[in-house]
Amino acid sequence: MKIAVYPGTFDPITNGHLDIIKRASQIFKRVIVAVSENPHKKPIFSMEERRQLIQDAVIDLDNVDVDVFDGLLVHYAQKKGISVLIRGLRVLSDFEYEFQMALMNRKLMPTLETIYFMPSEEFTYINSTIVKEVARLGGEIGCFLPPGVVKALHRKIKEIKK
Ligand code: PNS
């Protein structure tokens, strides 16, 4: 029974991410959701805000921890003794990026195995970016995000518009 890391930007966590976390938590002894700073994506939530939103969303999952990291993911995995990397795969267009990332990570750390989970079909078309856009333009986002995240996103958008 291994420890797995589920890395991402999580700006913010969606129900699609949560679906992957739940599936992984049923298979691995422990799952660490690791939030990457990822400044080139210009996240609207700070790293600490993203960590806290995930923490609240996974409160009922006993074997799931939340952490933050900067630098290379493989360095984080080496430091923590992690040998499994989890990613979600939704649609064909995810594949190229995921393939490149998996092979680069394998080159950098051959003992780290990347495993993909497919979310429930109701989440295959959502990601944080599209949900943020819908929210910014006044659309309903309640079915895409954990309840605490809906509130936080509305608050953040108001702040940004000020
Ligand atoms: O949710 P995202 O934005 O698709 O996650 C991408 C993430 C954070 C997993 C990826 O960019 C990453 O691992 N960043 C850390 C830096 C790193 O290790 N880069 C090399 C990846 S091959």
PDB file of all heavy atoms in Angstrom, residues 8-11 33-39 43-55 66-71 156:
ATOM      1  N   GLY A   8      -1.087  19.632  -8.444  1.00  0.00           N
ATOM      2  CA  GLY A   8      -1.825  20.478  -9.373  1.00  0.00           C
ATOM      3  C   GLY A   8      -1.781  21.919  -8.932  1.00  0.00           C
ATOM      4  O   GLY A   8      -1.233  22.246  -7.873  1.00  0.00           O
ATOM      5  N   THR A   9      -2.382  22.764  -9.755  1.00  0.00           N
ATOM      6  CA  THR A   9      -2.453  24.185  -9.414  1.00  0.00           C
ATOM      7  C   THR A   9      -3.659  24.453  -8.512  1.00  0.00           C
ATOM      8  O   THR A   9      -3.610  25.292  -7.616  1.00  0.00           O
ATOM      9  CB  THR A   9      -2.536  25.039 -10.707  1.00  0.00           C
ATOM     10  OG1 THR A   9      -1.482  24.633 -11.596  1.00  0.00           O
ATOM     11  CG2 THR A   9      -2.390  26.503 -10.419  1.00  0.00           C
ATOM     12  N   PHE A  10      -4.742  23.759  -8.788  1.00  0.00           N
ATOM     13  CA  PHE A  10      -5.953  23.824  -7.950  1.00  0.00           C
ATOM     14  C   PHE A  10      -6.391  25.273  -7.703  1.00  0.00           C
ATOM     15  O   PHE A  10      -6.519  25.709  -6.558  1.00  0.00           O
ATOM     16  CB  PHE A  10      -5.746  23.108  -6.610  1.00  0.00           C
ATOM     17  CG  PHE A  10      -5.357  21.665  -6.746  1.00  0.00           C
ATOM     18  CD1 PHE A  10      -4.073  21.238  -6.414  1.00  0.00           C
ATOM     19  CD2 PHE A  10      -6.266  20.726  -7.221  1.00  0.00           C
ATOM     20  CE1 PHE A  10      -3.702  19.907  -6.546  1.00  0.00           C
ATOM     21  CE2 PHE A  10      -5.906  19.377  -7.347  1.00  0.00           C
ATOM     22  CZ  PHE A  10      -4.619  18.980  -7.003  1.00  0.00           C
ATOM     23  N   ASP A  11      -6.630  26.009  -8.783  1.00  0.00           N
ATOM     24  CA  ASP A  11      -6.991  27.431  -8.657  1.00  0.00           C
ATOM     25  C   ASP A  11      -8.409  27.691  -9.154  1.00  0.00           C
ATOM     26  O   ASP A  11      -8.567  28.306 -10.199  1.00  0.00           O
ATOM     27  CB  ASP A  11      -5.978  28.284  -9.428  1.00  0.00           C
ATOM     28  CG  ASP A  11      -6.217  29.764  -9.201  1.00  0.00           C
ATOM     29  OD1 ASP A  11      -6.399  30.155  -8.043  1.00  0.00           O
ATOM     30  OD2 ASP A  11      -6.250  30.539 -10.182  1.00  0.00           O
ATOM     31  N   VAL A  33      -2.406  15.657  -1.491  1.00  0.00           N
ATOM     32  CA  VAL A  33      -2.757  16.615  -2.544  1.00  0.00           C
ATOM     33  C   VAL A  33      -1.740  17.746  -2.415  1.00  0.00           C
ATOM     34  O   VAL A  33      -1.651  18.394  -1.364  1.00  0.00           O
ATOM     35  CB  VAL A  33      -4.189  17.140  -2.353  1.00  0.00           C
ATOM     36  CG1 VAL A  33      -4.567  18.086  -3.492  1.00  0.00           C
ATOM     37  CG2 VAL A  33      -5.182  15.991  -2.250  1.00  0.00           C
ATOM     38  N   ALA A  34      -0.937  17.939  -3.452  1.00  0.00           N
ATOM     39  CA  ALA A  34       0.169  18.886  -3.366  1.00  0.00           C
ATOM     40  C   ALA A  34      -0.074  20.076  -4.291  1.00  0.00           C
ATOM     41  O   ALA A  34      -0.142  19.929  -5.512  1.00  0.00           O
ATOM     42  CB  ALA A  34       1.485  18.183  -3.723  1.00  0.00           C
ATOM     43  N   VAL A  35      -0.207  21.237  -3.683  1.00  0.00           N
ATOM     44  CA  VAL A  35      -0.517  22.460  -4.440  1.00  0.00           C
ATOM     45  C   VAL A  35       0.772  23.105  -4.926  1.00  0.00           C
ATOM     46  O   VAL A  35       1.663  23.399  -4.129  1.00  0.00           O
ATOM     47  CB  VAL A  35      -1.267  23.467  -3.534  1.00  0.00           C
ATOM     48  CG1 VAL A  35      -1.644  24.716  -4.321  1.00  0.00           C
ATOM     49  CG2 VAL A  35      -2.484  22.825  -2.899  1.00  0.00           C
ATOM     50  N   SER A  36       0.838  23.310  -6.232  1.00  0.00           N
ATOM     51  CA  SER A  36       2.017  23.952  -6.814  1.00  0.00           C
ATOM     52  C   SER A  36       1.776  25.451  -6.911  1.00  0.00           C
ATOM     53  O   SER A  36       0.690  25.894  -7.293  1.00  0.00           O
ATOM     54  CB  SER A  36       2.250  23.377  -8.211  1.00  0.00           C
ATOM     55  OG  SER A  36       3.143  24.188  -8.920  1.00  0.00           O
ATOM     56  N   GLU A  37       2.792  26.211  -6.598  1.00  0.00           N
ATOM     57  CA  GLU A  37       2.699  27.680  -6.715  1.00  0.00           C
ATOM     58  C   GLU A  37       2.289  28.059  -8.147  1.00  0.00           C
ATOM     59  O   GLU A  37       1.374  28.830  -8.358  1.00  0.00           O
ATOM     60  CB  GLU A  37       4.062  28.298  -6.350  1.00  0.00           C
ATOM     61  CG  GLU A  37       4.173  29.787  -6.604  1.00  0.00           C
ATOM     62  CD  GLU A  37       3.406  30.628  -5.590  1.00  0.00           C
ATOM     63  OE1 GLU A  37       3.940  30.876  -4.528  1.00  0.00           O
ATOM     64  OE2 GLU A  37       2.283  31.058  -5.901  1.00  0.00           O
ATOM     65  N   ASN A  38       2.985  27.506  -9.131  1.00  0.00           N
ATOM     66  CA  ASN A  38       2.695  27.672 -10.563  1.00  0.00           C
ATOM     67  C   ASN A  38       2.448  29.116 -10.994  1.00  0.00           C
ATOM     68  O   ASN A  38       1.395  29.433 -11.569  1.00  0.00           O
ATOM     69  CB  ASN A  38       1.483  26.789 -10.934  1.00  0.00           C
ATOM     70  CG  ASN A  38       1.756  26.024 -12.217  1.00  0.00           C
ATOM     71  OD1 ASN A  38       2.706  26.337 -12.939  1.00  0.00           O
ATOM     72  ND2 ASN A  38       0.942  25.043 -12.516  1.00  0.00           N
ATOM     73  N   PRO A  39       3.413  30.037 -10.756  1.00  0.00           N
ATOM     74  CA  PRO A  39       3.190  31.458 -11.044  1.00  0.00           C
ATOM     75  C   PRO A  39       2.901  31.740 -12.509  1.00  0.00           C
ATOM     76  O   PRO A  39       2.201  32.703 -12.829  1.00  0.00           O
ATOM     77  CB  PRO A  39       4.498  32.125 -10.599  1.00  0.00           C
ATOM     78  CG  PRO A  39       5.505  31.038 -10.443  1.00  0.00           C
ATOM     79  CD  PRO A  39       4.773  29.771 -10.230  1.00  0.00           C
ATOM     80  N   PRO A  43      -2.293  32.286 -10.798  1.00  0.00           N
ATOM     81  CA  PRO A  43      -3.474  31.891 -10.014  1.00  0.00           C
ATOM     82  C   PRO A  43      -4.138  33.088  -9.343  1.00  0.00           C
ATOM     83  O   PRO A  43      -3.447  34.036  -8.959  1.00  0.00           O
ATOM     84  CB  PRO A  43      -2.898  30.946  -8.946  1.00  0.00           C
ATOM     85  CG  PRO A  43      -1.514  30.638  -9.346  1.00  0.00           C
ATOM     86  CD  PRO A  43      -1.051  31.695 -10.288  1.00  0.00           C
ATOM     87  N   ILE A  44      -5.463  33.041  -9.209  1.00  0.00           N
ATOM     88  CA  ILE A  44      -6.149  34.159  -8.530  1.00  0.00           C
ATOM     89  C   ILE A  44      -6.169  33.935  -7.015  1.00  0.00           C
ATOM     90  O   ILE A  44      -6.295  34.871  -6.258  1.00  0.00           O
ATOM     91  CB  ILE A  44      -7.575  34.419  -9.083  1.00  0.00           C
ATOM     92  CG1 ILE A  44      -8.508  33.229  -8.848  1.00  0.00           C
ATOM     93  CG2 ILE A  44      -7.538  34.814 -10.540  1.00  0.00           C
ATOM     94  CD1 ILE A  44      -9.983  33.569  -9.109  1.00  0.00           C
ATOM     95  N   PHE A  45      -6.076  32.678  -6.581  1.00  0.00           N
ATOM     96  CA  PHE A  45      -5.995  32.384  -5.154  1.00  0.00           C
ATOM     97  C   PHE A  45      -4.521  32.194  -4.781  1.00  0.00           C
ATOM     98  O   PHE A  45      -3.750  31.610  -5.566  1.00  0.00           O
ATOM     99  CB  PHE A  45      -6.754  31.093  -4.814  1.00  0.00           C
ATOM    100  CG  PHE A  45      -8.255  31.236  -4.890  1.00  0.00           C
ATOM    101  CD1 PHE A  45      -8.951  30.797  -6.022  1.00  0.00           C
ATOM    102  CD2 PHE A  45      -8.977  31.783  -3.840  1.00  0.00           C
ATOM    103  CE1 PHE A  45     -10.327  30.928  -6.097  1.00  0.00           C
ATOM    104  CE2 PHE A  45     -10.355  31.908  -3.909  1.00  0.00           C
ATOM    105  CZ  PHE A  45     -11.040  31.474  -5.041  1.00  0.00           C
ATOM    106  N   SER A  46      -4.151  32.660  -3.578  1.00  0.00           N
ATOM    107  CA  SER A  46      -2.777  32.437  -3.108  1.00  0.00           C
ATOM    108  C   SER A  46      -2.594  30.943  -2.842  1.00  0.00           C
ATOM    109  O   SER A  46      -3.577  30.186  -2.755  1.00  0.00           O
ATOM    110  CB  SER A  46      -2.526  33.230  -1.824  1.00  0.00           C
ATOM    111  OG  SER A  46      -3.252  32.634  -0.761  1.00  0.00           O
ATOM    112  N   MET A  47      -1.351  30.561  -2.680  1.00  0.00           N
ATOM    113  CA  MET A  47      -1.069  29.150  -2.424  1.00  0.00           C
ATOM    114  C   MET A  47      -1.758  28.701  -1.122  1.00  0.00           C
ATOM    115  O   MET A  47      -2.335  27.624  -1.047  1.00  0.00           O
ATOM    116  CB  MET A  47       0.445  28.969  -2.315  1.00  0.00           C
ATOM    117  CG  MET A  47       0.878  27.576  -2.430  1.00  0.00           C
ATOM    118  SD  MET A  47       2.310  27.417  -3.481  1.00  0.00           S
ATOM    119  CE  MET A  47       3.603  27.222  -2.300  1.00  0.00           C
ATOM    120  N   GLU A  48      -1.708  29.560  -0.100  1.00  0.00           N
ATOM    121  CA  GLU A  48      -2.313  29.221   1.188  1.00  0.00           C
ATOM    122  C   GLU A  48      -3.850  29.145   1.057  1.00  0.00           C
ATOM    123  O   GLU A  48      -4.482  28.262   1.641  1.00  0.00           O
ATOM    124  CB  GLU A  48      -1.881  30.249   2.255  1.00  0.00           C
ATOM    125  CG  GLU A  48      -2.514  30.086   3.619  1.00  0.00           C
ATOM    126  CD  GLU A  48      -2.451  28.648   4.185  1.00  0.00           C
ATOM    127  OE1 GLU A  48      -1.527  27.888   3.855  1.00  0.00           O
ATOM    128  OE2 GLU A  48      -3.360  28.287   4.971  1.00  0.00           O
ATOM    129  N   GLU A  49      -4.436  30.041   0.283  1.00  0.00           N
ATOM    130  CA  GLU A  49      -5.900  29.988   0.074  1.00  0.00           C
ATOM    131  C   GLU A  49      -6.278  28.685  -0.630  1.00  0.00           C
ATOM    132  O   GLU A  49      -7.253  28.016  -0.259  1.00  0.00           O
ATOM    133  CB  GLU A  49      -6.357  31.183  -0.772  1.00  0.00           C
ATOM    134  CG  GLU A  49      -6.381  32.490  -0.018  1.00  0.00           C
ATOM    135  CD  GLU A  49      -6.614  33.705  -0.932  1.00  0.00           C
ATOM    136  OE1 GLU A  49      -6.241  33.674  -2.132  1.00  0.00           O
ATOM    137  OE2 GLU A  49      -7.143  34.690  -0.422  1.00  0.00           O
ATOM    138  N   ARG A  50      -5.490  28.301  -1.638  1.00  0.00           N
ATOM    139  CA  ARG A  50      -5.787  27.064  -2.376  1.00  0.00           C
ATOM    140  C   ARG A  50      -5.642  25.856  -1.464  1.00  0.00           C
ATOM    141  O   ARG A  50      -6.462  24.940  -1.486  1.00  0.00           O
ATOM    142  CB  ARG A  50      -4.858  26.944  -3.599  1.00  0.00           C
ATOM    143  CG  ARG A  50      -5.253  27.898  -4.734  1.00  0.00           C
ATOM    144  CD  ARG A  50      -4.293  27.789  -5.893  1.00  0.00           C
ATOM    145  NE  ARG A  50      -3.157  28.654  -5.757  1.00  0.00           N
ATOM    146  CZ  ARG A  50      -1.946  28.434  -6.270  1.00  0.00           C
ATOM    147  NH1 ARG A  50      -1.736  27.348  -6.975  1.00  0.00           N
ATOM    148  NH2 ARG A  50      -0.964  29.281  -6.099  1.00  0.00           N
ATOM    149  N   ARG A  51      -4.591  25.882  -0.622  1.00  0.00           N
ATOM    150  CA  ARG A  51      -4.384  24.767   0.305  1.00  0.00           C
ATOM    151  C   ARG A  51      -5.571  24.648   1.268  1.00  0.00           C
ATOM    152  O   ARG A  51      -6.103  23.576   1.500  1.00  0.00           O
ATOM    153  CB  ARG A  51      -3.084  24.988   1.111  1.00  0.00           C
ATOM    154  CG  ARG A  51      -2.626  23.763   1.869  1.00  0.00           C
ATOM    155  CD  ARG A  51      -1.624  24.102   2.949  1.00  0.00           C
ATOM    156  NE  ARG A  51      -2.208  24.964   3.974  1.00  0.00           N
ATOM    157  CZ  ARG A  51      -3.056  24.551   4.903  1.00  0.00           C
ATOM    158  NH1 ARG A  51      -3.396  23.298   4.984  1.00  0.00           N
ATOM    159  NH2 ARG A  51      -3.557  25.416   5.769  1.00  0.00           N
ATOM    160  N   GLN A  52      -6.011  25.789   1.800  1.00  0.00           N
ATOM    161  CA  GLN A  52      -7.103  25.784   2.783  1.00  0.00           C
ATOM    162  C   GLN A  52      -8.423  25.317   2.147  1.00  0.00           C
ATOM    163  O   GLN A  52      -9.182  24.568   2.765  1.00  0.00           O
ATOM    164  CB  GLN A  52      -7.255  27.198   3.376  1.00  0.00           C
ATOM    165  CG  GLN A  52      -8.181  27.267   4.571  1.00  0.00           C
ATOM    166  CD  GLN A  52      -7.727  26.383   5.738  1.00  0.00           C
ATOM    167  OE1 GLN A  52      -6.617  26.523   6.229  1.00  0.00           O
ATOM    168  NE2 GLN A  52      -8.573  25.443   6.173  1.00  0.00           N
ATOM    169  N   LEU A  53      -8.684  25.760   0.921  1.00  0.00           N
ATOM    170  CA  LEU A  53      -9.930  25.347   0.240  1.00  0.00           C
ATOM    171  C   LEU A  53      -9.944  23.830   0.025  1.00  0.00           C
ATOM    172  O   LEU A  53     -10.993  23.180   0.184  1.00  0.00           O
ATOM    173  CB  LEU A  53     -10.085  26.081  -1.102  1.00  0.00           C
ATOM    174  CG  LEU A  53     -10.384  27.587  -1.013  1.00  0.00           C
ATOM    175  CD1 LEU A  53     -10.337  28.227  -2.398  1.00  0.00           C
ATOM    176  CD2 LEU A  53     -11.744  27.839  -0.350  1.00  0.00           C
ATOM    177  N   ILE A  54      -8.792  23.264  -0.312  1.00  0.00           N
ATOM    178  CA  ILE A  54      -8.725  21.804  -0.495  1.00  0.00           C
ATOM    179  C   ILE A  54      -8.897  21.119   0.859  1.00  0.00           C
ATOM    180  O   ILE A  54      -9.666  20.156   0.993  1.00  0.00           O
ATOM    181  CB  ILE A  54      -7.391  21.376  -1.147  1.00  0.00           C
ATOM    182  CG1 ILE A  54      -7.219  22.049  -2.508  1.00  0.00           C
ATOM    183  CG2 ILE A  54      -7.340  19.858  -1.297  1.00  0.00           C
ATOM    184  CD1 ILE A  54      -5.826  21.893  -3.105  1.00  0.00           C
ATOM    185  N   GLN A  55      -8.203  21.650   1.849  1.00  0.00           N
ATOM    186  CA  GLN A  55      -8.291  21.070   3.204  1.00  0.00           C
ATOM    187  C   GLN A  55      -9.760  20.969   3.640  1.00  0.00           C
ATOM    188  O   GLN A  55     -10.202  19.934   4.155  1.00  0.00           O
ATOM    189  CB  GLN A  55      -7.496  21.975   4.164  1.00  0.00           C
ATOM    190  CG  GLN A  55      -7.327  21.421   5.557  1.00  0.00           C
ATOM    191  CD  GLN A  55      -6.400  20.220   5.562  1.00  0.00           C
ATOM    192  OE1 GLN A  55      -5.226  20.331   5.298  1.00  0.00           O
ATOM    193  NE2 GLN A  55      -6.952  19.057   5.824  1.00  0.00           N
ATOM    194  N   VAL A  66      -3.084  17.522   2.734  1.00  0.00           N
ATOM    195  CA  VAL A  66      -2.869  18.597   1.755  1.00  0.00           C
ATOM    196  C   VAL A  66      -1.554  19.288   2.091  1.00  0.00           C
ATOM    197  O   VAL A  66      -1.255  19.540   3.258  1.00  0.00           O
ATOM    198  CB  VAL A  66      -4.028  19.620   1.785  1.00  0.00           C
ATOM    199  CG1 VAL A  66      -3.919  20.577   0.600  1.00  0.00           C
ATOM    200  CG2 VAL A  66      -5.377  18.920   1.783  1.00  0.00           C
ATOM    201  N   ASP A  67      -0.784  19.569   1.052  1.00  0.00           N
ATOM    202  CA  ASP A  67       0.517  20.193   1.258  1.00  0.00           C
ATOM    203  C   ASP A  67       0.766  21.165   0.110  1.00  0.00           C
ATOM    204  O   ASP A  67       0.013  21.176  -0.873  1.00  0.00           O
ATOM    205  CB  ASP A  67       1.596  19.086   1.277  1.00  0.00           C
ATOM    206  CG  ASP A  67       2.902  19.538   1.905  1.00  0.00           C
ATOM    207  OD1 ASP A  67       2.974  20.684   2.384  1.00  0.00           O
ATOM    208  OD2 ASP A  67       3.859  18.734   1.914  1.00  0.00           O
ATOM    209  N   VAL A  68       1.799  21.971   0.227  1.00  0.00           N
ATOM    210  CA  VAL A  68       2.180  22.863  -0.870  1.00  0.00           C
ATOM    211  C   VAL A  68       3.635  22.560  -1.229  1.00  0.00           C
ATOM    212  O   VAL A  68       4.377  22.034  -0.403  1.00  0.00           O
ATOM    213  CB  VAL A  68       2.045  24.360  -0.464  1.00  0.00           C
ATOM    214  CG1 VAL A  68       0.607  24.719  -0.171  1.00  0.00           C
ATOM    215  CG2 VAL A  68       2.932  24.689   0.729  1.00  0.00           C
ATOM    216  N   PHE A  69       3.999  22.857  -2.463  1.00  0.00           N
ATOM    217  CA  PHE A  69       5.400  22.669  -2.829  1.00  0.00           C
ATOM    218  C   PHE A  69       5.792  23.702  -3.885  1.00  0.00           C
ATOM    219  O   PHE A  69       4.940  24.214  -4.609  1.00  0.00           O
ATOM    220  CB  PHE A  69       5.671  21.240  -3.351  1.00  0.00           C
ATOM    221  CG  PHE A  69       5.172  20.971  -4.747  1.00  0.00           C
ATOM    222  CD1 PHE A  69       6.054  20.955  -5.831  1.00  0.00           C
ATOM    223  CD2 PHE A  69       3.828  20.734  -4.997  1.00  0.00           C
ATOM    224  CE1 PHE A  69       5.602  20.698  -7.125  1.00  0.00           C
ATOM    225  CE2 PHE A  69       3.366  20.488  -6.280  1.00  0.00           C
ATOM    226  CZ  PHE A  69       4.248  20.464  -7.344  1.00  0.00           C
ATOM    227  N   ASP A  70       7.098  24.008  -3.911  1.00  0.00           N
ATOM    228  CA  ASP A  70       7.583  24.772  -5.067  1.00  0.00           C
ATOM    229  C   ASP A  70       8.789  24.032  -5.630  1.00  0.00           C
ATOM    230  O   ASP A  70       9.281  23.087  -5.032  1.00  0.00           O
ATOM    231  CB  ASP A  70       7.874  26.249  -4.744  1.00  0.00           C
ATOM    232  CG  ASP A  70       8.765  26.401  -3.544  1.00  0.00           C
ATOM    233  OD1 ASP A  70       9.492  25.437  -3.237  1.00  0.00           O
ATOM    234  OD2 ASP A  70       8.753  27.466  -2.913  1.00  0.00           O
ATOM    235  N   GLY A  71       9.230  24.431  -6.796  1.00  0.00           N
ATOM    236  CA  GLY A  71      10.309  23.695  -7.456  1.00  0.00           C
ATOM    237  C   GLY A  71       9.758  22.468  -8.153  1.00  0.00           C
ATOM    238  O   GLY A  71       8.550  22.363  -8.409  1.00  0.00           O
ATOM    239  N   LYS A 156     -13.653  36.295  -4.114  1.00  0.00           N
ATOM    240  CA  LYS A 156     -12.408  36.660  -4.820  1.00  0.00           C
ATOM    241  C   LYS A 156     -12.714  37.489  -6.058  1.00  0.00           C
ATOM    242  O   LYS A 156     -12.029  38.481  -6.340  1.00  0.00           O
ATOM    243  CB  LYS A 156     -11.655  35.373  -5.185  1.00  0.00           C
ATOM    244  CG  LYS A 156     -10.353  35.555  -5.892  1.00  0.00           C
ATOM    245  CD  LYS A 156      -9.304  36.279  -5.105  1.00  0.00           C
ATOM    246  CE  LYS A 156      -8.652  35.445  -4.040  1.00  0.00           C
ATOM    247  NZ  LYS A 156      -7.588  36.160  -3.292  1.00  0.00           N
TER     248      LYS A 156
END
